[in-house]
Amino acid sequence: MRTITVLGSTGSVGTQTLDLLAATPERYAVHALVANRNAERLAAQARAARAARAVVADETAWPVLRDALAGTGIEAAAGPQAVIEAASMGADWTMAAITGAVGLAATLAAIRGGRAIAFANKEALVCAGDLMLAAVRQSGATLLPVDSEHNAIFQAMADGNRGAVERITLTASGGPFRTLSLEEMARARPEAALRHPVWSMGAKISIDSATMMNKGLEIIEAARLFALPSEAIAVLVHPQSVIHGMVHYRDGSVLAQLGSPDMRIPIAHALAWPERVATQSPRLDLAQLGGLTFEPPDETRFPALRLARAALEAGGGAPCVLNAANEVAVAAFLERRIGFLDIAATVDHVLQETAVPPVTTVEAVLALDAESRAATARICAARAAA
Ligand SMILES: NC(=O)c1ccc[n+]([C@@H]2O[C@H](COP(=O)([O-])OP(=O)(O)OC[C@H]3O[C@@H](n4cnc5c(N)ncnc54)[C@H](OP(=O)(O)O)[C@@H]3O)[C@@H](O)[C@H]2O)c1
């Protein structure tokens, strides 16, 4: 029996992870489930999964969690320290699926716990890649990529010699605004941006898909996970989202991973690795699909891609600034305080006005993250007032 912890269990990835675990409950013992403030959903999940512990980061959600778990024997806890403790418990397998840089401390604690980490929290790796990879080396933890593109690359690389890799390609659906003009995007409202044509995901990553900042963050994530330079990571728009990633080898061979666009497939791969488990996910029917199409990304309409690549190439704290600015700008757009095109423009503005220092400690990352958030909030307020 394997012990499991799910960080971000009430979210899109967390919920799908628990669905997969529920198919063979006799194989897993759930150590801890962690959320931010959705105490009712967390309590229901903890009961269903017979978790030992349920934790909310937001202490104001504690009374609801405590009451909902009264008499069950499930330990209820609250606050950032309780989140770290739950993450550090040393489960055999931890799903790191908190959204945003706020997940950094918990994800690092899970890595230091030293077992297998199924890794979805891309913002943490973008902000503090070197620190996280150093922690992985130190603890001997195994990092299993969950993002469908990185999971695809992980699968396609398993068959080859890493030294023979020429480059990789991350595919992108192009998001809900793939065919819109800049004028149409300027008028876009949150509800349209949240309506992803292929994937069903949490709000923040859905907006990132619409701006294509998601793919930008994924370029940085891939550079970290697979130790590749920016120029060895290509992006290809592929609206059907059937091919998730490709590895190009120096002999001209290209290995791709295909599958229906369903996050339960990469999650199941990370859960069972190095074996495979059965899933109920829709099977791929290429004859019914008829064709797969590809197009180059348009960095004029989607400048976030260019900004992310520039931040990766600048190195140091630049990816941390990019990520923090993007998180704040996305929240401002969701609250209707700025327009859709203002998201990338704001990130660009913050990157240009920040003197980016090298960041070699977690404290330095957190300080730069906080400083960048404050700068972004000021710029968003000015844009909202204009
Ligand atoms: N969704 C996808 O298909 C997908 C695909 C690839 C990668 N990812 C990545 O996976 C991560 C999760 O995405 P998602 O779409 O599942 O997000 P989501 O639906 O928004 O869920 C986020 C989860 O994080 C929890 N959370 C937020 N702040 C927290 C805090 N301070 N402490 C503890 N927990 C906190 C939330 O709890 P509450 O419910 O209480 O707020 C929720 O459980 C992101 O980094 C995303 O980029 C997602």
Side-chain angles (χ1 to χ4, degrees):
M1 198 178 238
R2 289 166 81 197
T3 53
I4 303 279
T5 285
V6 183
L7 307 173
S9 69
T10 51
S12 167
V13 170
T15 304
Q16 294 179 84
T17 304
L18 288 176
D19 286 349
L20 285 164
L21 295 173
T24 49
E26 68 287 354
R27 292 181 59 179
Y28 307 107
V30 176
H31 257 174
L33 300 181
V34 172
N36 186 24
R37 63 169 72 100
N38 192 345
E40 281 176 15
R41 188 169 205 184
L42 180 65
Q45 289 180 332
R47 282 170 181 265
R50 296 183 191 168
R53 187 186 293 200
V55 184
V56 277
D58 183 340
E59 283 163 7
T60 64
W62 153 246
V64 176
L65 185 67
R66 178 198 56 205
D67 293 352
L69 292 177
T72 61
I74 300 169
E75 195 184 324
Q81 197 47 41
V83 170
I84 305 292
E85 274 166 28
S88 323
M89 275 167 79
D92 294 325
W93 189 89
T94 299
M95 167 56 81
I98 293 174
T99 288
V102 74
L104 174 61
T107 303
L108 263 177
I111 290 172
R112 289 181 179 133
R115 307 278 169 78
I117 316 295
F119 189 79
N121 178 205
K122 69 186 85 179
E123 297 89 350
L125 195 62
V126 167
C127 289
D130 291 345
L131 293 166
M132 286 184 60
L133 295 178
V136 168
R137 282 192 297 275
Q138 225 170 24
S139 71
T142 305
L143 219 47
L144 300 163
V146 168
D147 232 339
S148 58
E149 298 77 2
H150 304 73
N151 181 268
I153 301 295
F154 183 72
Q155 294 197 42
M157 267 192 193
D159 196 33
N161 175 353
R162 284 201 177 203
V165 172
E166 232 169 38
R167 64 190 174 95
I168 62 172
T169 299
L170 308 176
T171 59
S173 68
F177 299 159
R178 181 175 63 88
T179 58
L180 258 52
S181 66
L182 274 170
E183 293 69 30
E184 288 168 316
M185 280 196 250
R187 292 193 298 272
R189 295 278 168 264
E191 43 282 16
L194 286 167
R195 220 174 294 125
H196 198 279
V198 184
W199 297 96
S200 159
M201 309 181 285
K204 194 263 176 182
I205 185 174
S206 295
I207 302 303
D208 285 348
S209 293
T211 60
M212 289 194 75
M213 180 60 88
N214 183 47
K215 211 49 55 182
L217 298 175
E218 287 179 8
I219 293 174
I220 303 173
E221 184 184 8
R224 313 274 204 231
L225 286 174
F226 305 113
L228 290 170
S230 168
E231 61 273 15
I233 306 167
V235 169
L236 187 62
V237 176
H238 166 43
Q240 298 81 20
S241 296
V242 163
I243 298 179
H244 302 295
M246 296 181 255
V247 180
H248 306 250
Y249 288 96
R250 66 177 172 215
D251 61 1
S253 296
V254 182
L255 298 194
Q257 186 264 353
L258 287 72
S260 296
D262 180 343
M263 277 307 291
R264 286 171 301 177
I265 297 174
I267 297 171
H269 178 263
L271 181 61
W273 184 88
E275 292 162 23
R276 289 188 186 264
V277 284
T279 73
Q280 302 303 314
S281 296
R283 287 345 192 205
L284 193 56
D285 185 341
L286 289 174
Q288 196 194 359
L289 263 171
L292 301 178
T293 59
F294 305 94
E295 56 199 70
D298 178 347
E299 293 191 1
T300 306
R301 286 184 305 125
F302 298 100
L305 270 176
R306 176 176 49 74
L307 295 174
R309 204 180 273 284
L312 170 64
E313 289 166 5
C320 173
V321 176
L322 171 100
N323 179 71
N326 182 59
E327 287 193 32
V328 173
V330 167
F333 170 68
L334 283 169
E335 290 162 12
R336 299 172 197 278
R337 289 187 281 115
I338 63 171
F340 181 75
L341 294 180
D342 290 330
I343 300 173
T346 301
V347 174
D348 194 7
H349 189 159
V350 177
L351 277 165
Q352 285 190 35
E353 76 166 25
T354 310
V356 181
V359 281
T360 51
T361 61
V362 174
E363 293 70 28
V365 169
L366 296 177
L368 183 60
D369 176 76
E371 186 195 319
S372 310
R373 282 169 196 272
T376 313
R378 278 196 301 276
I379 293 167
C380 287
R383 279 182 183 266

